[in-house]
């Protein structure tokens, strides 16, 4: 099998070029910047690296960031910050880097993010609306995976897709998004009886596990498409959740250079869309300045 790479870097560059142009147009039209608030709680090194990469990408396309780094914090304190960002008309999007420390009630905090600013689709409200196919931001990684599929004209309708992993930020929203595109979706997790068999039946495998090379090359159906969202460090090297599927898969995302860069580009795109929608609302509904943000968009 002649395997081809789904080049995430290329997809990300295209999204970023588009965002950069639209950010410029936005600033010309409204004479104000677009701003993403980023929040890190705790001392997780990987989280700090991810947020640094996201902030750098924001700067590259002209999006401003307001960064909160909170080494030790409480649920109540974090909720206060989220509510003040919801009410701040200069903030267009809110990103809370996960995982949060164990002492923080993650769900309670995520659910406080205003729908129109939830650019990483973290709240139950966003997840619910996205699952129903309504207007809401989906989590950036699975949304980014859809961007990869679209870039390469991969139609999932009627295809058997096996999503391995069911986390609220990746596996579950991924499955909902694929279902919305009429794929036949199987979700696997630690209690799945025969993972190898499930994977062997799939036309498309989405790996979102966090276990280096858990999915073996020989488990894959000949010609399957492999999307590997996994990002694991092994002996100083980044490794996916799937053994390099070259020779068996028809198309696959490499690690690094696959899903990762598209996730970041998608976050920028979502932040811009959030700002554009907030402006459209101000223009069309004349909410009296930007006070609408205090009430939230109804
Ligand atoms: P997570 O919250 O730890 O969830 C992992 C999921 O994998 C869980 O649903 C778990 O099942 C399942 N799982 C674990 N071991 C398994 C096994 N042996 N067999 C079958 N299922 C198994 O992880 P996550 O946040 O979704 O992240 C998953 C991976 O994606 C990680 O490598 C992470 O670094 C990467 N990631 C990448 C990006 C990106 O931008 N590229 C963004 C986010 C995450 P249970 O539910 O039964 O426990």
């Amino acid at each position: 099998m002649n395997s081809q790479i789904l080049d995430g870097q290329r997809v990300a560059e295209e999204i970023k070029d588009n965002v950069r142009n639209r950010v410029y147009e936005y600033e010309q039209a409204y004479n104000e910047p677009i701003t993403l608030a980023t929040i890190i709680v705790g001392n997780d090194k990987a989280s700090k690296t991810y947020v640094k990469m996201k902030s750098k990408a924001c700067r590259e396309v002209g999006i401003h960031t307001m960064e909160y780094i909170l080494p030790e914090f409480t649920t109540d304190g974090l909720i206060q910050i989220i509510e003040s960002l919801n009410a701040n008309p200069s903030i267009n999007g809110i990103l809370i880097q996960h995982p949060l420390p164990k002492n923080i009630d993650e769900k309670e905090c995520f659910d406080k993010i205003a729908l129109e600013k939830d650019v990483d689709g973290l709240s139950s409200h966003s997840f619910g609306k996205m699952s129903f196919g309504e207007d809401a931001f989906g989590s950036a990684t699975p949304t980014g995976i859809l961007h990869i599929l679209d870039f390469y004209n991969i139609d999932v309708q009627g295809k058997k897709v096996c999503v391995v992993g069911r986390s609220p930020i990746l596996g579950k929203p991924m499955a909902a998004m694929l279902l919305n595109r009429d794929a036949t979706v199987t979700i696997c997790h630690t209690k799945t009886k025969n993972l190898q068999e499930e994977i062997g039946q799939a036309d498309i495998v989405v790996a979102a596990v966090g276990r280096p090379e858990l999915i073996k090359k020989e488990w894959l159906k000949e010609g399957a498409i492999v999307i590997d969202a996994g990002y694991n460090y092994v002996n100083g090297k980044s490794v996916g959740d799937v053994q390099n599927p070259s020779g068996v898969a028809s198309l696959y995302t490499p690690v690094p250079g696959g899903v990762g860069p598209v996730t970041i580009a998608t976050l920028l795109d979502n932040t811009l869309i959030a700002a554009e929608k907030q402006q459209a609302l101000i223009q069309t509904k004349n909410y009296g300045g930007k006070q609408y943000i205090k009430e939230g968009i109804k």
Side-chain angles (χ1 to χ4, degrees):
M1 167 70 53
N2 182 14
S3 305
Q4 283 181 20
I5 279 178
L6 300 168
D7 184 351
Q9 207 67 53
R10 204 173 139 205
V11 180
E13 284 312 318
E14 188 178 276
I15 296 171
K16 281 161 70 178
D17 283 347
N18 180 281
V19 169
R20 193 179 292 110
N21 291 336
R22 278 161 51 216
V23 167
Y24 177 78
E25 284 166 16
Y26 178 99
E27 287 185 349
Q28 295 297 306
Y30 303 116
N31 200 25
E32 57 186 59
I34 296 173
T35 305
L36 172 69
T38 64
I39 304 175
I40 302 178
V41 188
N43 285 303
D44 186 61
K45 256 176 91 177
S47 290
K48 287 182 183 167
T49 307
Y50 291 142
V51 171
K52 244 190 207 162
M53 287 161 70
K54 288 168 185 174
S55 299
K56 181 171 171 278
C58 280
R59 283 194 298 279
E60 283 168 11
V61 298
I63 293 176
H64 294 223
T65 54
M66 183 188 276
E67 296 176 18
Y68 290 80
I69 301 171
L70 313 165
E72 280 179 29
F73 225 59
T74 61
T75 300
D76 286 347
L78 185 53
I79 287 173
Q80 269 184 26
I81 290 184
I82 294 166
E83 286 178 338
S84 75
L85 293 170
N86 286 342
N88 182 344
S90 307
I91 298 296
N92 303 103
I94 301 171
L95 169 81
I96 304 178
Q97 185 64 38
H98 32 81
L100 291 173
K102 295 235 176 321
N103 70 304
I104 304 273
D105 186 332
E106 195 171 277
K107 189 171 177 307
E108 201 184 335
C109 293
F110 290 169
D111 282 352
K112 289 287 186 290
I113 305 173
L115 183 68
E116 67 276 11
K117 297 189 179 188
D118 188 12
V119 289
D120 201 13
L122 294 173
S123 74
S124 314
H125 195 185
S126 297
F127 181 86
K129 281 180 82 74
M130 178 280 294
S131 300
F132 279 109
E134 294 172 14
D135 192 18
F137 293 109
S139 176
T141 304
T143 307
I145 290 173
L146 296 188
H147 285 144
I148 296 175
L149 297 175
D150 290 342
F151 185 90
Y152 286 98
N153 292 317
I154 298 168
D155 183 5
V156 300
Q157 187 182 51
K159 300 266 166 53
K160 283 191 178 180
V161 185
C162 182
V163 178
V164 191
R166 57 174 168 179
S167 74
I169 58 137
L170 225 172
K172 270 186 196 158
M174 183 78 264
M177 288 175 194
L178 292 164
L179 199 56
N180 286 346
R181 289 189 169 199
D182 298 325
T184 302
V185 183
T186 303
I187 309 175
C188 296
H189 43 78
T190 52
K191 306 295 182 291
T192 297
K193 287 266 160 50
N194 193 337
L195 182 62
Q196 180 173 350
E197 192 178 300
E198 298 293 347
I199 287 171
Q201 293 175 13
D203 303 310
I204 302 174
V205 175
V206 180
V209 194
R211 303 278 179 277
E213 299 187 343
L214 171 84
I215 297 167
K216 307 301 173 211
K217 184 174 177 169
E218 62 268 21
W219 295 2
L220 299 165
K221 186 164 98 173
E222 180 85 6
I225 296 173
V226 176
I227 309 288
D228 191 347
Y231 204 82
N232 315 284
Y233 279 108
V234 181
N235 300 329
K237 261 180 66 185
S238 39
V239 174
D241 289 341
V242 186
Q243 254 184 359
N244 188 329
S246 179
V248 176
S250 53
L251 299 162
Y252 69 97
T253 55
V255 179
V259 174
V262 188
T263 296
I264 295 179
T266 300
L267 177 71
L268 308 180
D269 191 42
N270 283 356
T271 305
L272 168 63
I273 293 169
E276 289 171 341
K277 283 188 175 168
Q278 289 155 24
Q279 282 294 352
L281 214 72
I282 294 164
Q283 308 301 322
T284 55
K285 297 210 171 167
N286 189 15
Y287 269 88
K290 288 192 174 179
Q291 291 304 306
Y292 76 93
I293 286 173
K294 286 189 174 148
E295 281 80 50
I297 295 174
K298 301 285 190 302

